Amino acid sequence: MVAGDRGVAIVTGASRGIGAAIALRAAAAGYAVLVNYSSDAAGAASVVQDIRDNGGVALPHRADVSDPAAVGQMFDRAASLGPVTAVINNAGITGNLIGDLVDVPPDTVRRVLDVNVSGVIFVCQEAVRRLGSGTGGPGGSIVNISSTATKAGSPGTWAHYAASKGAVDVLTVGLASEVASQGIRVNCVAPGSTNTGLHAAAGMPDRVQRLNPTIPMGRGAEPDEVAAAVMWLLSAEAGYVTGAVLPVSGGR
């Protein structure tokens, strides 16, 4: 296997939903893609097969992003395809529950922060080591996936999750300033309500539909619409954009 025309893109949490849509678009844009997953091996294999069926290059790779050693191994696997030039931090969890913050078990809080905050930090750290011109890297782009849940804080549903995504927004801005001189752009896409399995996994499969009346455009996003925003931030057209948090939320 050899890298695509644009190098290698690592997409975390890419076995389904927004991550899968990003992986497919990245492959179509000319990247070889490392499809990261934590537990859904079948989903990751399906995404990889879709990419290959369309003439692209992809590998699945299981790694828990909250484990720094596993993150390093993930980048090593991606490097077998060629130079890594794009990293998309999509992996994120809610803890699979909905309710008031006071009722969220401590272990759930810790796990959500481990994946959604520490995991993003660990992946960004390794990306800077590999991509930065100061260490002989090719430069490139990091896109973090946040959420517009940070605006109101998701009271009564996912306040712990919203807090974790607020950290991602702040990290994006700070890191973008640190590494701009190393040829790395760091941006963030903040989806609003999106039609993925995230809500069903937390026990509320109709959540997006119930929120539709609060969205100016009257509907939730499709994963591919979020992926399109990610691809723009990776593109040369966004070459002077760094430190941005781009909402993809239908106006909500």
Side-chain angles (χ1 to χ4, degrees):
M1 292 184 179
V2 295
D5 295 339
R6 298 180 66 177
V8 180
I10 295 174
V11 186
T12 68
S15 62
R16 57 190 172 184
I18 291 171
I22 294 168
L24 292 169
R25 273 194 174 254
Y31 289 97
V33 182
L34 188 80
V35 177
N36 162 257
Y37 68 99
S38 176
S39 59
D40 187 4
S46 177
V47 173
V48 168
Q49 192 60 54
D50 282 351
I51 290 172
R52 292 176 178 172
D53 287 347
N54 285 283
V57 176
L59 283 176
H61 185 77
R62 182 175 184 174
D64 181 343
V65 296
S66 70
D67 177 353
V71 168
Q73 293 164 3
M74 177 176 70
F75 274 79
D76 287 342
R77 183 78 185 282
S80 72
L81 295 174
V84 177
T85 57
V87 177
I88 300 92
N89 259 314
N90 171 74
I93 61 173
T94 65
N96 288 346
L97 54 79
I98 288 179
D100 292 341
L101 180 65
V102 69
D103 296 321
V104 181
D107 287 349
T108 299
V109 172
R110 292 189 184 99
R111 182 59 181 160
V112 168
L113 294 178
D114 276 349
V115 174
N116 295 7
V117 182
S118 297
V120 172
I121 290 173
F122 296 150
V123 173
C124 283
Q125 288 177 320
E126 195 64 27
V128 171
R129 295 183 187 112
R130 307 277 183 134
L131 273 63
S133 60
T135 54
S141 183
I142 299 169
V143 178
N144 299 321
I145 305 299
S146 175
S147 171
T148 55
T150 59
K151 291 183 178 180
S154 289
T157 51
W158 290 336
H160 60 295
Y161 169 82
S164 73
K165 292 302 188 177
V168 173
D169 288 354
V170 175
L171 173 70
T172 297
V173 175
L175 183 62
S177 293
E178 284 187 3
V179 301
S181 64
Q182 296 188 49
I184 303 173
R185 295 186 299 109
V186 186
N187 291 292
C188 182
V189 169
S193 297
T194 306
N195 290 305
T196 71
L198 191 74
H199 309 278
M204 198 174 292
D206 64 341
R207 186 168 183 264
V208 174
Q209 287 69 38
R210 292 195 299 104
L211 289 173
N212 283 350
T214 70
I215 301 171
M217 291 184 68
R219 63 175 180 84
E222 295 302 326
D224 194 59
E225 293 175 305
V226 179
V230 171
M231 295 312 301
W232 179 75
L233 287 171
L234 292 178
S235 75
E237 292 179 344
Y240 197 61
V241 179
T242 197
V245 178
L246 174 63
V248 181
S249 62
R252 185 172 188 264

